[in-house]
Amino acid sequence: MAFETLTITREERVATVTLNRPDVRNAFNETTIAEIKQAFSELGEDDALRAIVLAANGPAFCAGADLNWMKKMAGYTHAENHADALQLAEMLRTIYLCPKPVVAKVQGDCYAGGMGLVAACDIIVAVEEANFCLSEVKLGLIPATISPYVIKAMGENASRRYFLTAERFGAREALRIGFAHEVVSTETLDAKVTEIVKALVNNSPNAVQQAKVLVRDVAGQPVNDALLADTAERIAQIRASDQGREGVASFLEKRKPAWLNS
């Protein structure tokens, strides 16, 4: 895959998608949106991969929307604005629904739409120096298309504050409110991401994929008879699957599961 605004690298069973517009703090435009959607669609269907890392080049992770793109949008009709926003929404959904686990490697500041990119990922690792900001209301806008993912990541209470105030907050606050999973020094960022990716790669690929779907489907559901039946059916199916049988057998036989050699 050759892209204008991204670089894609692969090492064994892990792909890294890197935002590569450091001169504009990795702000995205329509080209970036289309390329991210294409990259995650294709990588998500690659059976050779076990995990994807979303990273960025330069001092900032992502500053949100590109200024030139915003200038262009200022002249759009309502229909054009709706179509344009839908492209961003579909790109975020592609990351969120990606069959592979996605780790966000946040090496610098992450603002506005950039927070949507990160929130759509499964695991978020940020450096201590990173700052976050949902700055849309300062411009008379709202973080609408990113809201489903940001609210899931940081919760309704924190979202209410930061959507309304547009305050900048640091990585430790991101960790406290649940937006980030890990906050580390710049020097240990690579090691921490590698550690997490190794854990993902060592697990059953099928179980990891199904566990990701499980969280998405069960979160917020009432604990009723329908949910009990659904979760019982899921465990019954995966117990009978090839990797389910192999995982239990390898544990009982004190050997490595076959998927580590595939």
Side-chain angles (χ1 to χ4, degrees):
M1 290 179 277
F3 294 110
E4 179 184 331
T5 67
L6 309 175
T7 61
I8 311 289
T9 57
R10 299 171 66 120
E11 185 174 350
E12 296 181 350
R13 288 168 284 193
V14 180
T16 299
V17 178
T18 304
L19 307 177
N20 194 31
R21 303 183 76 214
D23 53 320
V24 291
R25 296 174 63 81
N26 294 309
F28 53 76
N29 55 18
E30 62 267 52
T31 302
T32 310
I33 290 169
E35 290 186 347
I36 292 174
K37 181 180 178 182
Q38 179 187 346
F40 276 88
S41 295
E42 295 179 7
L43 294 172
E45 298 303 319
D46 189 335
D47 291 338
L49 292 177
R50 301 283 179 82
I52 302 171
V53 175
L54 177 61
N57 279 333
F61 180 83
C62 180
D66 179 270
L67 290 177
N68 289 324
W69 182 45
M70 291 178 69
K71 289 177 183 177
K72 187 189 302 184
M73 286 187 290
Y76 281 0
T77 64
H78 177 272
E80 289 171 329
N81 265 306
H82 184 273
D84 187 77
L86 194 58
Q87 292 299 312
L88 174 59
E90 290 177 350
M91 178 268 285
L92 293 170
R93 183 173 63 179
T94 301
I95 299 173
Y96 181 67
L97 297 181
C98 181
K100 303 294 186 296
V102 183
V103 180
K105 181 181 179 181
V106 183
Q107 92 296 356
D109 289 351
C110 183
Y111 292 171
M115 287 191 64
L117 280 177
V118 170
C121 298
D122 300 299
I123 301 170
I124 301 166
V125 184
V127 296
E128 295 169 338
E129 297 83 4
N131 290 301
F132 299 84
C133 184
L134 292 153
S135 55
E136 285 84 352
V137 294
K138 288 185 177 181
L139 305 179
L141 307 174
I142 57 173
T145 49
I146 68 173
S147 63
Y149 313 100
V150 175
I151 293 172
K152 284 179 183 294
M154 65 165 46
E156 180 182 349
N157 201 36
S159 296
R160 187 179 294 112
R161 173 177 176 175
Y162 290 114
F163 278 24
L164 274 57
T165 66
E167 295 170 280
R168 189 173 69 171
F169 59 93
R172 290 294 171 189
E173 172 68 358
L175 181 67
R176 186 189 70 81
I177 63 179
F179 187 80
H181 293 96
E182 294 274 357
V183 172
V184 298
S185 67
T186 299
E187 294 75 20
T188 59
L189 177 62
D190 288 344
K192 176 53 69 175
V193 171
T194 298
E195 176 188 320
I196 291 171
V197 167
K198 182 179 179 181
L200 293 169
V201 169
N202 284 343
N203 294 330
S204 157
N206 181 54
V208 168
Q209 181 177 342
Q210 293 303 316
K212 179 171 177 173
V213 174
L214 178 67
V215 173
R216 189 167 66 234
D217 290 352
V218 172
Q221 295 298 314
V223 183
N224 54 23
D225 289 347
L227 184 64
L228 268 59
D230 175 65
T231 54
E233 176 61 22
R234 290 176 195 246
I235 190 64
Q237 288 186 6
I238 207 160
R239 282 175 180 168
S241 69
D242 290 342
Q243 288 186 18
R245 292 182 185 277
E246 168 60 16
V248 173
S250 65
F251 175 76
L252 295 174
E253 296 166 13
K254 295 181 171 56
R255 60 174 174 82
K256 292 182 179 180
W259 61 73
L260 288 179
N261 302 316
S262 63

